[in-house]
Amino acid sequence: MDFLSACDEMAALVRERIRPLVGSPDGGQVIRMGADHTPTERIDQVAEDCVIGYVRKHDLCSLLISEEAGKVPVDGGKGTIFLDPVDGTYNAVAGIPFYALSLAWATGGVVHQAFVQDLSSGETFTAIRGKSAYCNRKPICVSSTSRLDACAMSVYGRKFDPTRMMQLGHKIRRWRLLGASALELCYVGAGRIDGFVDLRGTLRVTDAAAGMLICTEAGGMVSDLNGDPLEFPDEVTVGRCIIATNGKLHHKVIEYLR
């Protein structure tokens, strides 16, 4: 079975298993500390167990890396799968319909295939490196907005140092904080928002691997705060800052953040 078809099956399993926990305090019960050194809530654990169980039964990868379990060796396949079982856990537990399953398949440190599904609606974003990006199998493309004062962006800043965030925030027209970074990267790719900026330094490879490929294959740009290529270690305890835009706005965003 190919990777993206397997992702469809895993997403269906996850949606079914977490349904009783969505919008419920039970979903937010802290089970343990995850490999990323943040609390693992019940809904995360249920979703992750579902995906790991599926991957162990299929030849999809030799290593799975997830926020909760960390590095999980797998027999029978090749490559690495980066997993965020529920991106936007707070939204899911609160009953806000914006949370996702994010999966990316990589070899040699390069992500080749990406899958992000909005678990509340079933809307699915996919990409294969060099072959464009899709939403529900229809091609997507970034927006053509070229002015900051006409754009809409998701902008996340540090709680203790909002200065850089506010410099940009005062310039852009619309500011959206949606709460699920994988989906927000896909929304940039689909032209629904013009950019996604996260200055917190907490974005991990499992959060971003799939969404970054979808965004760039749709014509967007992704970089660090200096405009350099964004690289992640295969380690869920290490976070990064990110700028993702439609490309036309990229250098302008960087200038306002300096």
Side-chain angles (χ1 to χ4, degrees):
M1 180 181 297
D2 68 86
F3 176 71
L4 295 179
S5 296
C7 288
D8 279 325
E9 293 191 358
M10 285 186 277
L13 291 171
V14 169
R15 290 178 72 187
E16 179 65 26
R17 291 286 300 276
I18 70 171
R19 185 174 291 120
L21 300 174
V22 173
S24 165
D26 290 343
Q29 181 184 359
V30 174
I31 304 299
R32 59 184 176 86
M33 292 300 292
D36 62 351
H37 298 168
T38 65
T40 296
E41 299 179 27
R42 182 176 298 278
I43 195 169
D44 297 309
Q45 189 68 65
V46 169
E48 183 183 73
D49 288 347
C50 187
V51 172
I52 291 176
Y54 183 97
V55 168
R56 288 192 184 281
K57 295 178 182 178
H58 298 78
D59 296 333
L60 296 176
C61 64
S62 60
L63 178 67
L64 181 144
I65 300 177
S66 179
E67 290 185 9
E68 317 307 332
K71 295 182 179 181
V72 180
V74 182
D75 295 328
K78 66 177 182 178
T80 299
I81 289 178
F82 298 105
L83 165 67
D84 190 344
V86 182
D87 178 56
T89 302
Y90 177 87
N91 286 353
V93 174
I96 299 170
F98 195 80
Y99 51 96
L101 169 67
S102 176
L103 291 150
W105 182 78
T107 59
V110 177
V111 174
H112 297 284
Q113 298 187 57
F115 177 97
V116 177
Q117 184 177 104
D118 185 330
L119 294 169
S120 66
S121 67
E123 186 174 56
T124 303
F125 297 88
T126 57
I128 298 176
R129 182 169 292 277
K131 296 185 178 180
S132 193
Y134 299 84
C135 177
N136 293 340
R137 296 188 172 89
K138 296 180 180 179
I140 57 175
C141 183
V142 295
S143 73
S144 60
T145 305
S146 60
R147 291 167 40 203
L148 285 175
D149 60 3
C151 77
M153 288 193 181
S154 286
V155 183
Y156 293 80
R158 298 176 185 270
K159 293 180 180 179
F160 55 86
D161 183 14
T163 306
R164 301 178 85 184
M165 176 182 67
M166 293 307 299
Q167 288 178 173
L168 178 64
H170 283 309
K171 184 62 177 176
I172 64 179
R173 183 177 182 186
R174 296 181 179 90
W175 190 341
R176 300 288 184 263
L177 298 175
L178 303 175
S181 57
L183 278 176
E184 287 165 286
L185 285 164
C186 293
Y187 273 35
V188 176
R192 297 175 183 177
I193 56 177
D194 305 301
F196 169 70
V197 178
D198 193 332
L199 306 176
R200 297 172 294 179
T202 58
L203 199 70
R204 296 169 290 263
V205 62
T206 49
D207 299 311
M212 285 172 57
L213 182 64
I214 291 166
C215 180
T216 54
E217 285 295 322
M221 290 183 66
V222 177
S223 76
D224 65 15
L225 299 185
N226 296 315
D228 297 322
L230 184 60
E231 298 180 355
F232 289 92
D234 290 348
E235 178 53 64
V236 295
T237 60
V238 178
R240 294 283 190 262
C241 297
I242 188 174
I243 299 174
T245 73
N246 62 3
K248 296 179 182 295
L249 295 167
H250 210 81
H251 296 297
K252 296 176 183 179
V253 171
I254 292 171
E255 288 175 5
Y256 270 92
L257 290 174
R258 284 176 175 165

